[in-house]
Amino acid sequence: QSLKTANYEGAYALMTPELQKSIGNVQGLQKMIESARAQPTQWTFTDRSVNGNTGHLAGNVTMLSGEGTVSLDLAKSGNAWKIDAFNLKPK
């Protein structure tokens, strides 16, 4: 939801430390999303799986640039799930 409302700070906070490190900072995430016009406006997850402390979501997304696919890899950190990897890909 954070990316949907352009809350890049909130989206960055939901990421694992490893993903945060690879992106760099909140401004890096914002630049990545906005330069690709990949800000999601709507999505539907059609594939969900959990295996221990990891999870995966995949489905369809509408972005500012058009239709595409979305996938999220999740890792459990304490009682919270964090985003470990994501892909917003135009069709």
Side-chain angles (χ1 to χ4, degrees):
Q1 291 292 338
S2 295
L3 284 182
K4 194 175 185 181
T5 61
N7 177 0
Y8 296 105
E9 189 172 302
Y12 189 79
L14 294 173
M15 296 177 180
T16 61
E18 295 80 16
L19 182 55
Q20 288 176 337
K21 185 177 178 181
S22 73
I23 290 174
N25 55 32
V26 173
Q27 293 78 20
L29 174 62
Q30 182 175 357
K31 183 177 179 183
M32 177 191 310
I33 297 296
E34 289 181 357
S35 66
R37 295 187 36 82
Q39 182 180 354
T41 59
Q42 181 179 326
W43 54 81
T44 304
F45 291 109
T46 55
D47 180 32
R48 295 177 173 100
S49 63
V50 175
N51 186 7
N53 290 331
T54 62
H56 180 77
L57 297 169
N60 298 308
V61 64
T62 301
M63 301 175 283
L64 294 178
S65 61
E67 300 298 315
T69 58
V70 58
S71 66
L72 301 173
D73 290 333
L74 307 169
K76 194 164 188 182
S77 176
N79 290 329
W81 287 93
K82 297 282 186 168
I83 299 166
D84 198 36
F86 70 94
N87 189 358
L88 296 166
K89 185 176 175 182
K91 286 187 178 177

